[in-house]
Amino acid sequence: MTDLESRIDKAIGALDLEGKVRLLTGAALFTLHPEPGVELDEMVFSDGPTGVRGTQFAGGRITCLLPNATLLAQHWDTATAAEVGALLADEAAAQGVHVVLGPTINLHRTPLGGRLFEAFSEDPLLTGALAVAYVKGLQDKGVAATPKHYLANESEVDRTTMSSEVDERTLREVYLLPFEMAVAEANPWAIMASYNRINGITATEHAPLVEGVLKGEWGYDGLVMSDWFATTSTAASANAGLDLVMPGPVGPWGDQLVAAVRAGEVAESTVDEHVRRLLRLAGRVGALGAGGERSSDVLPPDSPQRREQLRLLAARGMTVLVNRGSVLPLAAEGKVVVIGRHATETIAQGGGSAQVRPPHVISVADGITSALGDRVSVVDGVEIRREPLSAAPGALRDPETGELGMRVTTRDAAGAVLESRHVESSEVVLGEGGWLDVAATVELSAEVALTEPGRLQIGVRGPGEWEFTAPGHHEKVRLHAPGGPGGGVLHPPTRTVDVHLEPGARLTAVTTAEESFRVVGLVTRKATKPAAAAISAAVHAAREADVAVVVVGLTQEQETEGEDKISLALPGDQDALVAAVAAAAPRTVVVVNAATPVLMPWLDQVDAVLWAGLPGQEAGAAVAAALTGEVEPAGRLVTTFPARDGDGPAWSTVPVHGELAYAEGTAVGYRGWRTEPLFWFGHGLGYTEWGYGDAALTTDGHIRSVRVEVTNTGDRAGREVVQVYWRPEGEPVRLIGWAGVDLEPGRTARVDVPCDGRVQRRWVDGAWQSLPLGGEVLVARGLGDIRVTLPVRADQS
Ligand code: BGC
């Protein structure tokens, strides 16, 4: 027995039942109870997929905002995933965070999924390989990773109650595979159980999946925590293998679990096992008898080195979808007009619990302007949001100090001021247990930072009882958030009016205290203008330029936790904007600022499309580097893009009678496409050309590897991702391996692509079987560009 295990034994022996049970529910939203008696420090958790936000939902510490998961996955590179894990570990250490709640390794089952931006890909092997590297990157530096959400959590509609109906074979071969790979190769110290049900049983009570597959068959020795507020039972969840209820301090375990043990419904040894796993986690992250001191000597998020790292991570994952007449990289001369609201208000991240507070976001307009100088002009585009956000940084000033931000004043029931503080942002979160939560009312006040009088949309954001006052306007209103966990933070409602304001106009909003977790903020933005006027200004500017760069995309209204899309169409009048600009400009390049597929009805009318993802804090600098070719956008798509709404093997995310049938079975994503999509999984042009030569297979019962010669036949250095697919007889085609290669122009390399046996199995009658050799192997740049086809003989050796 190791030192850690004997220490854990002693600790368990030293605690009484109440003491043990207390540890098994969080102490707050993102912390666990310390227990000095056994030298257990407070453990701190933080959301993680795109940056380590810390323990506050909004307005917390400023941290790195990374490119989103799909943009990182588009590198198709485990070294990149490991680099990201290591970066997150540094950010965690700087904040005293022990456990990062990521990566998200659910799959892109249907393109409507609102949360796909957090998850790597539609392919289980690619997802699993990236997860392994990411987990190792974090844990090698002593910070726990938490792959989530276990299991079959691919959509958001009714996410806490819906049942994903998935046959056993599909579960094993597709949805479990990334978790299986992560457990086998990286041993994540924690895993998060999802909100949904799987075949009728809720994930936090799913004994067959948690006790059976994860802890039993795979021998997982880490901790299984619930998703936030997901646990709804006492004995059923405790007996199913769930180890920790999050968050706390209130929850269905506590006294009820003590009573359940006393009543014989839960064995005390089961409680001990949960405590053992919790203490094991503590031991692994240095929170058990370690004295609590951790290194915080890391690069600040706005340090030149970090910024360069984040810029490259974003730019290299960007993907060239179309490039007619080599309009990209942009020519060294000529007038460039940059058009679109996404150019000026670039979307750097998706919505929900993955959100972080970055030091800055470089807009695409600023990025291109600083790269190309005075040959660039910028024109705003059409509206892209239904609802406004809280005011942008710089739009409000504290009326007392004049600093950017707002003043927050708390009062008691008699109206006496308790506290008055300056905050830098335009919104705060209530219900996190801080100074804002001991008041009867919370007042937000600010002056509008205008330089000249103007027409503005102003108002309040967040659920609750409000009294809002501005010059010439006064109203009382109650706003409601949609239900579901975190609804008041994930989807805060807004109430706005359009008014004419003078510089310095004062806004005051008072909300009455209530017990709920909610965002409250002040809204100001320019009053909306008609689409026709915006399009005509863009067309006029496009005629005068040599190249128009139109930046379009999605916002957190589509790419967010807690809600799915209903269409892949770009919101608002963006399609009309692109078509009108393409008709007017000599050449048109479209930059899409979104993580997940959108429809492109204008595709034949434009010269190039750069898929830019949600690029994080250095967004515009990365887009500029990709457009100019300073960095090759060498990404390859990680999901298949439909040409029309409804196309593809799986579409709707709306459960029927509470159930969502995964009817396509194992034929997920590109595996199940019967028609030509807009772009295949694996597609991406980069900036050079590639020739494929001789190829050969090595087999040994399985396909072990494929060796192929590739030549950079273009005139620039570039990176190719050699993809190997297998189409076994009678089974869907599947990715079995890939390898990246960087080559100078004119060079040839012999590339060995290792092929993974775990996608060469099938699950039959409760056991794995090898798929028989046969069918054909395809060496391809996505299934739309197959370069070599190799028959696989059944007797091949
Ligand atoms: C999300 C998790 C997240 C948790 C904590 C939940 O709503 O589903 O992914 O880690 O909140 O913020």
Side-chain angles (χ1 to χ4, degrees):
M1 189 181 280
T2 64
D3 285 355
L4 175 59
E5 295 299 316
S6 56
R7 177 172 200 129
I8 291 171
D9 272 347
K10 264 193 231 133
I12 294 175
L15 292 167
D16 61 12
L17 179 62
E18 282 81 357
K20 289 186 279 199
V21 165
R22 179 173 158 272
L23 300 182
L24 300 179
T25 296
L29 264 179
F30 293 104
T31 51
L32 301 193
H33 290 286
E35 181 52 78
V38 297
E39 295 187 301
L40 172 66
D41 299 335
E42 174 188 68
M43 278 196 275
V44 180
F45 292 9
S46 165
D47 275 303
T50 44
V52 182
R53 188 189 60 234
T55 55
Q56 249 177 289
F57 218 91
R61 181 183 165 118
I62 291 176
T63 71
C64 284
L65 171 58
L66 277 71
N68 81 292
T70 53
L71 189 51
L72 294 169
Q74 283 167 199
H75 290 235
W76 286 59
D77 186 24
T78 52
T80 300
E83 177 186 340
V84 167
L87 194 166
L88 293 172
D90 286 349
E91 290 276 290
Q95 301 179 60
V97 166
H98 301 90
V99 178
V100 167
L101 305 174
T104 304
I105 57 173
N106 301 115
L107 299 183
H108 296 193
R109 176 177 169 261
T110 131
L112 293 178
R115 230 178 152 175
L116 304 190
F117 72 91
E118 271 187 56
F120 293 131
S121 148
E122 71 184 13
D123 182 77
L125 180 67
L126 180 60
T127 300
L130 297 177
V132 166
Y134 184 116
V135 170
K136 283 187 186 162
L138 267 161
Q139 295 189 170
D140 284 352
K141 292 194 160 203
V143 176
T146 313
K148 62 188 187 183
H149 310 83
Y150 191 78
L151 190 70
N153 182 193
E154 271 73 35
S155 57
E156 296 295 287
V157 178
D158 300 337
R159 64 178 175 155
T160 58
T161 54
M162 61 81 73
S163 178
S164 297
E165 296 291 309
V166 201
D167 63 80
E168 172 82 7
R169 176 170 182 198
T170 303
L171 277 181
R172 293 283 180 162
E173 293 182 22
V174 179
Y175 297 99
L176 280 165
L177 184 59
F179 289 94
E180 180 190 351
M181 291 173 69
V183 168
E185 292 178 53
N187 190 25
W189 296 336
I191 284 181
M192 188 187 294
S194 56
Y195 284 125
N196 53 291
R197 293 180 292 143
I198 306 99
N199 297 327
I201 307 175
T202 199
T204 47
E205 296 171 18
H206 212 300
L209 280 174
V210 181
E211 271 299 331
V213 176
L214 177 62
K215 293 183 173 178
E217 278 178 45
W218 298 347
Y220 178 61
D221 74 356
L223 171 118
V224 179
M225 70 179 81
S226 71
D227 200 339
W228 268 232
F229 306 102
T231 323
T232 50
S233 65
T234 306
S237 48
N239 285 333
L242 184 75
D243 299 306
L244 173 68
V245 169
M246 285 304 289
V250 182
W253 284 12
D255 293 345
Q256 295 171 73
L257 182 53
V258 172
V261 173
R262 301 237 154 91
E265 292 163 23
V266 177
E268 186 156 357
S269 58
T270 301
V271 169
D272 289 354
E273 178 60 18
H274 298 322
V275 175
R276 171 176 304 283
R277 287 169 183 265
L278 183 116
L279 295 175
R280 193 177 287 140
L281 172 68
R284 287 169 163 170
V285 297
L288 193 61
E293 275 309 297
R294 304 176 70 217
S295 147
S296 59
D297 182 20
V298 298
L299 291 172
D302 57 354
S303 59
Q305 299 96 307
R306 239 352 159 215
R307 294 190 59 183
E308 179 61 1
Q309 185 182 18
L310 295 173
R311 186 183 78 104
L312 293 176
L313 281 171
R316 289 184 177 143
M318 290 180 187
T319 302
V320 182
L321 298 180
V322 169
N323 193 11
R324 299 186 180 108
S326 297
V327 63
L328 293 178
L330 291 175
E333 283 168 8
K335 284 205 267 173
V336 177
V337 59
V338 180
I339 298 168
R341 186 62 59 79
H342 282 266
T344 51
E345 294 177 20
T346 304
I347 305 295
Q349 58 182 327
S353 61
Q355 272 178 289
V356 307
R357 184 168 171 224
H360 55 250
V361 171
I362 308 289
S363 72
V364 173
D366 286 350
I368 297 182
T369 305
S370 49
L372 301 184
D374 58 11
R375 61 189 177 105
V376 177
S377 58
V378 176
V379 177
D380 188 20
V382 293
E383 291 301 328
I384 54 173
R385 294 179 193 279
R386 291 187 305 267
E387 299 246 357
L389 298 176
S390 296
L396 298 177
R397 286 191 185 285
D398 184 326
E400 276 184 27
T401 65
E403 293 165 276
L404 291 178
M406 62 178 181
R407 178 137 297 265
V408 182
T409 308
T410 55
R411 294 193 172 80
D412 66 14
V417 171
L418 296 170
E419 275 201 70
S420 172
R421 290 194 195 175
H422 169 75
V423 303
E424 283 171 14
S425 55
S426 56
E427 64 184 28
V428 289
V429 172
L430 306 186
E432 289 193 290
W435 65 285
L436 295 162
D437 295 315
V438 289
T441 62
V442 176
E443 177 188 286
L444 315 176
S445 61
E447 285 174 5
V448 181
L450 285 176
T451 47
E452 51 188 60
R455 200 161 170 74
L456 288 189
Q457 196 173 36
I458 56 167
V460 291
R461 183 166 195 251
E465 209 62 61
W466 287 97
E467 181 166 2
F468 179 58
T469 315
H473 182 80
H474 179 252
E475 73 175 313
K476 287 186 177 180
V477 63
R478 165 133 206 124
L479 299 181
H480 299 275
V489 170
L490 298 176
H491 304 291
T494 51
R495 167 75 159 207
T496 59
V497 285
D498 280 8
V499 291
H500 184 85
L501 289 183
E502 300 292 324
R506 175 97 169 237
L507 312 181
T508 309
V510 180
T511 184
T512 316
E514 56 191 61
E515 260 195 33
S516 78
F517 181 42
R518 57 180 173 136
V519 155
V520 294
L522 289 174
V523 175
T524 63
R525 68 167 184 181
K526 275 191 228 145
T528 55
K529 64 176 178 234
I535 293 176
S536 114
V539 164
H540 183 75
R543 280 202 193 106
E544 307 295 308
D546 295 295
V547 181
V549 175
V550 194
V551 192
V552 295
L554 304 175
T555 71
Q556 288 93 351
E557 288 181 357
Q558 292 80 37
E559 296 195 307
T560 188
E561 180 178 334
E563 204 173 321
D564 291 324
K565 288 169 272 192
I566 49 171
S567 164
L568 303 185
L570 286 170
D573 292 297
Q574 296 186 89
D575 286 333
L577 173 71
V578 177
V581 169
R587 320 218 59 189
T588 302
V589 173
V590 179
V591 174
V592 189
N593 177 201
T596 53
V598 303
L599 304 183
M600 303 183 190
W602 31 259
L603 191 63
D604 291 341
Q605 297 152 45
V606 304
D607 298 285
V609 179
L610 178 74
W611 186 256
L614 303 174
Q617 67 183 53
E618 306 303 326
V623 168
L627 288 176
T628 59
E630 190 241 305
V631 177
E632 186 193 24
R636 304 292 186 259
L637 292 182
V638 289
T639 210
T640 304
F641 281 37
R644 282 166 296 273
D645 273 350
D647 279 4
W651 181 253
S652 173
T653 64
V654 180
V656 178
H657 306 301
E659 295 181 350
L660 188 64
Y662 282 37
E664 68 290 348
T666 61
V668 179
Y670 67 89
R671 295 176 171 202
W673 274 80
R674 301 276 169 264
T675 54
E676 195 65 18
L678 191 62
F679 298 108
W680 285 101
F681 169 86
H683 172 73
L685 300 174
Y687 281 158
T688 186
E689 307 283 322
W690 295 93
Y692 278 65
D694 291 344
L697 284 177
T698 308
T699 59
D700 164 15
H702 294 110
I703 300 161
R704 291 284 165 215
S705 64
V706 172
R707 171 173 290 189
V708 61
E709 276 191 358
V710 294
T711 305
N712 180 348
T713 56
D715 53 12
R716 288 177 52 104
R719 174 179 156 82
E720 173 66 318
V721 178
V722 179
Q723 303 159 35
V724 174
Y725 298 84
W726 183 30
R727 200 194 300 279
E729 264 154 34
E731 295 284 338
V733 65
R734 78 268 326 265
L735 180 77
I736 57 173
W738 70 93
V741 56
D742 292 278
L743 280 182
E744 293 297 319
R747 296 277 173 187
T748 297
R750 203 184 276 167
V751 182
D752 274 308
V753 182
C755 299
D756 201 299
R758 289 169 292 195
V759 278
Q760 301 180 43
R761 312 173 290 186
R762 63 181 166 204
W763 184 261
V764 185
D765 295 336
W768 287 113
Q769 269 179 9
S770 288
L771 278 168
L773 287 179
E776 55 191 14
V777 157
L778 313 170
V779 184
R781 313 182 74 223
L783 291 175
D785 186 4
I786 296 168
R787 295 300 181 92
V788 184
T789 301
L790 296 167
V792 185
R793 293 195 324 270
D795 59 352
Q796 187 135 13
S797 60

mmCIF file of all heavy atoms in Angstrom, residues 281-311:
data_model
loop_
_atom_site.group_PDB
_atom_site.id
_atom_site.type_symbol
_atom_site.label_atom_id
_atom_site.label_comp_id
_atom_site.label_asym_id
_atom_site.label_seq_id
_atom_site.Cartn_x
_atom_site.Cartn_y
_atom_site.Cartn_z
ATOM 1 N N LEU A 281 -8.142 12.215 -4.371
ATOM 2 C CA LEU A 281 -8.049 13.426 -5.208
ATOM 3 C C LEU A 281 -7.239 14.495 -4.475
ATOM 4 O O LEU A 281 -6.334 15.118 -5.051
ATOM 5 C CB LEU A 281 -9.459 13.948 -5.524
ATOM 6 C CG LEU A 281 -9.525 15.309 -6.224
ATOM 7 C CD1 LEU A 281 -8.981 15.213 -7.647
ATOM 8 C CD2 LEU A 281 -10.962 15.838 -6.255
ATOM 9 N N ALA A 282 -7.573 14.682 -3.189
ATOM 10 C CA ALA A 282 -6.855 15.702 -2.400
ATOM 11 C C ALA A 282 -5.364 15.397 -2.367
ATOM 12 O O ALA A 282 -4.526 16.295 -2.528
ATOM 13 C CB ALA A 282 -7.426 15.757 -0.981
ATOM 14 N N GLY A 283 -5.036 14.125 -2.171
ATOM 15 C CA GLY A 283 -3.618 13.743 -2.131
ATOM 16 C C GLY A 283 -2.939 14.055 -3.456
ATOM 17 O O GLY A 283 -1.825 14.569 -3.506
ATOM 18 N N ARG A 284 -3.634 13.754 -4.543
ATOM 19 C CA ARG A 284 -3.034 13.941 -5.876
ATOM 20 C C ARG A 284 -2.815 15.418 -6.200
ATOM 21 O O ARG A 284 -1.882 15.763 -6.914
ATOM 22 C CB ARG A 284 -3.950 13.299 -6.926
ATOM 23 C CG ARG A 284 -3.877 11.786 -6.856
ATOM 24 C CD ARG A 284 -4.950 11.109 -7.685
ATOM 25 N NE ARG A 284 -4.590 9.709 -7.905
ATOM 26 C CZ ARG A 284 -5.394 8.801 -8.420
ATOM 27 N NH1 ARG A 284 -6.633 9.118 -8.764
ATOM 28 N NH2 ARG A 284 -4.971 7.568 -8.592
ATOM 29 N N VAL A 285 -3.704 16.284 -5.719
ATOM 30 C CA VAL A 285 -3.559 17.711 -6.061
ATOM 31 C C VAL A 285 -2.828 18.486 -4.961
ATOM 32 O O VAL A 285 -2.738 19.705 -5.018
ATOM 33 C CB VAL A 285 -4.933 18.377 -6.346
ATOM 34 C CG1 VAL A 285 -5.604 17.737 -7.552
ATOM 35 C CG2 VAL A 285 -5.842 18.342 -5.118
ATOM 36 N N GLY A 286 -2.318 17.770 -3.977
ATOM 37 C CA GLY A 286 -1.525 18.444 -2.942
ATOM 38 C C GLY A 286 -2.364 19.130 -1.880
ATOM 39 O O GLY A 286 -1.933 20.119 -1.281
ATOM 40 N N ALA A 287 -3.571 18.632 -1.628
ATOM 41 C CA ALA A 287 -4.421 19.263 -0.616
ATOM 42 C C ALA A 287 -4.569 18.392 0.629
ATOM 43 O O ALA A 287 -5.420 18.640 1.472
ATOM 44 C CB ALA A 287 -5.795 19.573 -1.207
ATOM 45 N N LEU A 288 -3.752 17.362 0.731
ATOM 46 C CA LEU A 288 -3.833 16.494 1.905
ATOM 47 C C LEU A 288 -2.500 16.551 2.645
ATOM 48 O O LEU A 288 -1.502 15.984 2.194
ATOM 49 C CB LEU A 288 -4.145 15.060 1.461
ATOM 50 C CG LEU A 288 -4.570 14.089 2.560
ATOM 51 C CD1 LEU A 288 -5.850 14.556 3.250
ATOM 52 C CD2 LEU A 288 -4.779 12.700 1.959
ATOM 53 N N GLY A 289 -2.510 17.297 3.724
ATOM 54 C CA GLY A 289 -1.319 17.375 4.558
ATOM 55 C C GLY A 289 -0.125 18.002 3.870
ATOM 56 O O GLY A 289 1.018 17.737 4.199
ATOM 57 N N ALA A 290 -0.407 18.872 2.904
ATOM 58 C CA ALA A 290 0.715 19.433 2.151
ATOM 59 C C ALA A 290 1.046 20.847 2.574
ATOM 60 O O ALA A 290 1.957 21.456 2.047
ATOM 61 C CB ALA A 290 0.405 19.401 0.663
ATOM 62 N N GLY A 291 0.254 21.396 3.476
ATOM 63 C CA GLY A 291 0.536 22.740 3.953
ATOM 64 C C GLY A 291 -0.072 23.834 3.106
ATOM 65 O O GLY A 291 0.005 24.998 3.418
ATOM 66 N N GLY A 292 -0.714 23.453 2.001
ATOM 67 C CA GLY A 292 -1.520 24.407 1.237
ATOM 68 C C GLY A 292 -0.769 25.390 0.359
ATOM 69 O O GLY A 292 -1.375 26.053 -0.453
ATOM 70 N N GLU A 293 0.572 25.471 0.458
ATOM 71 C CA GLU A 293 1.296 26.472 -0.346
ATOM 72 C C GLU A 293 1.480 25.980 -1.778
ATOM 73 O O GLU A 293 1.965 24.888 -2.010
ATOM 74 C CB GLU A 293 2.681 26.730 0.270
ATOM 75 C CG GLU A 293 2.657 27.764 1.373
ATOM 76 C CD GLU A 293 1.948 29.061 0.979
ATOM 77 O OE1 GLU A 293 2.419 29.733 0.053
ATOM 78 O OE2 GLU A 293 0.906 29.371 1.607
ATOM 79 N N ARG A 294 1.081 26.792 -2.748
ATOM 80 C CA ARG A 294 1.261 26.371 -4.143
ATOM 81 C C ARG A 294 1.909 27.503 -4.927
ATOM 82 O O ARG A 294 1.735 28.666 -4.599
ATOM 83 C CB ARG A 294 -0.084 26.000 -4.754
ATOM 84 C CG ARG A 294 -0.774 24.929 -3.934
ATOM 85 C CD ARG A 294 -2.136 24.611 -4.466
ATOM 86 N NE ARG A 294 -2.068 23.924 -5.734
ATOM 87 C CZ ARG A 294 -2.931 24.122 -6.719
ATOM 88 N NH1 ARG A 294 -3.892 24.994 -6.578
ATOM 89 N NH2 ARG A 294 -2.830 23.460 -7.842
ATOM 90 N N SER A 295 2.596 27.115 -5.988
ATOM 91 C CA SER A 295 3.290 28.121 -6.796
ATOM 92 C C SER A 295 2.287 29.023 -7.498
ATOM 93 O O SER A 295 1.278 28.571 -8.006
ATOM 94 C CB SER A 295 4.144 27.408 -7.835
ATOM 95 O OG SER A 295 4.199 28.180 -9.005
ATOM 96 N N SER A 296 2.563 30.312 -7.497
ATOM 97 C CA SER A 296 1.668 31.192 -8.242
ATOM 98 C C SER A 296 2.488 32.056 -9.183
ATOM 99 O O SER A 296 2.080 33.118 -9.602
ATOM 100 C CB SER A 296 0.847 32.045 -7.280
ATOM 101 O OG SER A 296 1.727 32.793 -6.494
ATOM 102 N N ASP A 297 3.672 31.539 -9.515
ATOM 103 C CA ASP A 297 4.596 32.292 -10.330
ATOM 104 C C ASP A 297 4.350 31.942 -11.803
ATOM 105 O O ASP A 297 5.045 31.134 -12.385
ATOM 106 C CB ASP A 297 6.012 31.881 -9.893
ATOM 107 C CG ASP A 297 7.049 32.650 -10.658
ATOM 108 O OD1 ASP A 297 6.707 33.711 -11.197
ATOM 109 O OD2 ASP A 297 8.199 32.162 -10.721
ATOM 110 N N VAL A 298 3.305 32.520 -12.394
ATOM 111 C CA VAL A 298 3.005 32.182 -13.784
ATOM 112 C C VAL A 298 2.881 33.450 -14.614
ATOM 113 O O VAL A 298 2.732 34.548 -14.077
ATOM 114 C CB VAL A 298 1.703 31.368 -13.927
ATOM 115 C CG1 VAL A 298 1.794 30.049 -13.226
ATOM 116 C CG2 VAL A 298 0.518 32.163 -13.462
ATOM 117 N N LEU A 299 2.911 33.257 -15.920
ATOM 118 C CA LEU A 299 2.820 34.393 -16.840
ATOM 119 C C LEU A 299 1.454 35.052 -16.725
ATOM 120 O O LEU A 299 0.430 34.374 -16.815
ATOM 121 C CB LEU A 299 2.980 33.882 -18.271
ATOM 122 C CG LEU A 299 4.335 33.358 -18.682
ATOM 123 C CD1 LEU A 299 4.245 32.721 -20.059
ATOM 124 C CD2 LEU A 299 5.343 34.501 -18.677
ATOM 125 N N PRO A 300 1.404 36.377 -16.580
ATOM 126 C CA PRO A 300 0.097 37.044 -16.578
ATOM 127 C C PRO A 300 -0.600 36.888 -17.935
ATOM 128 O O PRO A 300 0.078 36.757 -18.962
ATOM 129 C CB PRO A 300 0.436 38.518 -16.317
ATOM 130 C CG PRO A 300 1.837 38.545 -15.855
ATOM 131 C CD PRO A 300 2.508 37.295 -16.365
ATOM 132 N N PRO A 301 -1.946 36.929 -17.948
ATOM 133 C CA PRO A 301 -2.669 36.684 -19.199
ATOM 134 C C PRO A 301 -2.401 37.725 -20.282
ATOM 135 O O PRO A 301 -2.633 37.467 -21.454
ATOM 136 C CB PRO A 301 -4.142 36.716 -18.784
ATOM 137 C CG PRO A 301 -4.178 37.183 -17.392
ATOM 138 C CD PRO A 301 -2.821 37.056 -16.798
ATOM 139 N N ASP A 302 -1.897 38.907 -19.886
ATOM 140 C CA ASP A 302 -1.599 39.894 -20.935
ATOM 141 C C ASP A 302 -0.094 40.071 -21.136
ATOM 142 O O ASP A 302 0.345 41.049 -21.723
ATOM 143 C CB ASP A 302 -2.272 41.235 -20.622
ATOM 144 C CG ASP A 302 -1.847 41.772 -19.273
ATOM 145 O OD1 ASP A 302 -1.125 41.052 -18.547
ATOM 146 O OD2 ASP A 302 -2.231 42.911 -18.955
ATOM 147 N N SER A 303 0.699 39.091 -20.664
ATOM 148 C CA SER A 303 2.149 39.167 -20.893
ATOM 149 C C SER A 303 2.424 38.857 -22.373
ATOM 150 O O SER A 303 1.675 38.107 -23.004
ATOM 151 C CB SER A 303 2.888 38.169 -20.001
ATOM 152 O OG SER A 303 2.427 36.876 -20.296
ATOM 153 N N PRO A 304 3.480 39.430 -22.947
ATOM 154 C CA PRO A 304 3.753 39.209 -24.370
ATOM 155 C C PRO A 304 3.863 37.723 -24.725
ATOM 156 O O PRO A 304 3.348 37.291 -25.760
ATOM 157 C CB PRO A 304 5.086 39.931 -24.595
ATOM 158 C CG PRO A 304 5.183 40.929 -23.487
ATOM 159 C CD PRO A 304 4.430 40.361 -22.324
ATOM 160 N N GLN A 305 4.490 36.934 -23.856
ATOM 161 C CA GLN A 305 4.653 35.505 -24.191
ATOM 162 C C GLN A 305 3.292 34.802 -24.267
ATOM 163 O O GLN A 305 3.038 34.014 -25.151
ATOM 164 C CB GLN A 305 5.501 34.776 -23.153
ATOM 165 C CG GLN A 305 6.905 35.285 -22.985
ATOM 166 C CD GLN A 305 6.994 36.260 -21.824
ATOM 167 O OE1 GLN A 305 6.232 37.237 -21.744
ATOM 168 N NE2 GLN A 305 7.922 36.025 -20.926
ATOM 169 N N ARG A 306 2.426 35.068 -23.267
ATOM 170 C CA ARG A 306 1.119 34.413 -23.264
ATOM 171 C C ARG A 306 0.305 34.856 -24.475
ATOM 172 O O ARG A 306 -0.363 34.051 -25.126
ATOM 173 C CB ARG A 306 0.378 34.832 -22.011
ATOM 174 C CG ARG A 306 -0.066 33.871 -21.037
ATOM 175 C CD ARG A 306 0.016 32.416 -21.252
ATOM 176 N NE ARG A 306 -0.034 31.750 -19.972
ATOM 177 C CZ ARG A 306 0.604 30.656 -19.647
ATOM 178 N NH1 ARG A 306 1.368 30.033 -20.532
ATOM 179 N NH2 ARG A 306 0.482 30.152 -18.460
ATOM 180 N N ARG A 307 0.373 36.135 -24.776
ATOM 181 C CA ARG A 307 -0.416 36.646 -25.894
ATOM 182 C C ARG A 307 0.025 35.997 -27.198
ATOM 183 O O ARG A 307 -0.806 35.625 -28.026
ATOM 184 C CB ARG A 307 -0.285 38.170 -25.974
ATOM 185 C CG ARG A 307 -0.901 38.846 -24.763
ATOM 186 C CD ARG A 307 -0.988 40.332 -24.956
ATOM 187 N NE ARG A 307 -1.793 40.637 -26.139
ATOM 188 C CZ ARG A 307 -1.996 41.870 -26.600
ATOM 189 N NH1 ARG A 307 -1.461 42.897 -25.981
ATOM 190 N NH2 ARG A 307 -2.738 42.062 -27.660
ATOM 191 N N GLU A 308 1.322 35.838 -27.346
ATOM 192 C CA GLU A 308 1.834 35.208 -28.569
ATOM 193 C C GLU A 308 1.400 33.738 -28.630
ATOM 194 O O GLU A 308 0.983 33.238 -29.677
ATOM 195 C CB GLU A 308 3.358 35.336 -28.596
ATOM 196 C CG GLU A 308 4.032 34.711 -29.795
ATOM 197 C CD GLU A 308 3.604 35.310 -31.140
ATOM 198 O OE1 GLU A 308 2.780 36.258 -31.167
ATOM 199 O OE2 GLU A 308 4.069 34.785 -32.169
ATOM 200 N N GLN A 309 1.481 33.076 -27.495
ATOM 201 C CA GLN A 309 1.058 31.667 -27.444
ATOM 202 C C GLN A 309 -0.423 31.535 -27.844
ATOM 203 O O GLN A 309 -0.795 30.686 -28.653
ATOM 204 C CB GLN A 309 1.277 31.138 -26.018
ATOM 205 C CG GLN A 309 0.998 29.664 -25.855
ATOM 206 C CD GLN A 309 1.182 29.206 -24.400
ATOM 207 O OE1 GLN A 309 1.195 30.023 -23.478
ATOM 208 N NE2 GLN A 309 1.314 27.905 -24.216
ATOM 209 N N LEU A 310 -1.255 32.416 -27.291
ATOM 210 C CA LEU A 310 -2.701 32.336 -27.566
ATOM 211 C C LEU A 310 -3.006 32.722 -29.017
ATOM 212 O O LEU A 310 -3.895 32.163 -29.647
ATOM 213 C CB LEU A 310 -3.470 33.233 -26.588
ATOM 214 C CG LEU A 310 -3.386 32.796 -25.125
ATOM 215 C CD1 LEU A 310 -4.039 33.830 -24.208
ATOM 216 C CD2 LEU A 310 -4.052 31.434 -24.923
ATOM 217 N N ARG A 311 -2.237 33.679 -29.548
ATOM 218 C CA ARG A 311 -2.428 34.086 -30.938
ATOM 219 C C ARG A 311 -2.131 32.911 -31.881
ATOM 220 O O ARG A 311 -2.889 32.620 -32.800
ATOM 221 C CB ARG A 311 -1.502 35.267 -31.243
ATOM 222 C CG ARG A 311 -1.684 35.893 -32.601
ATOM 223 C CD ARG A 311 -0.662 37.011 -32.813
ATOM 224 N NE ARG A 311 0.649 36.494 -33.143
ATOM 225 C CZ ARG A 311 1.181 36.493 -34.371
ATOM 226 N NH1 ARG A 311 0.503 37.015 -35.367
ATOM 227 N NH2 ARG A 311 2.383 36.002 -34.593
#
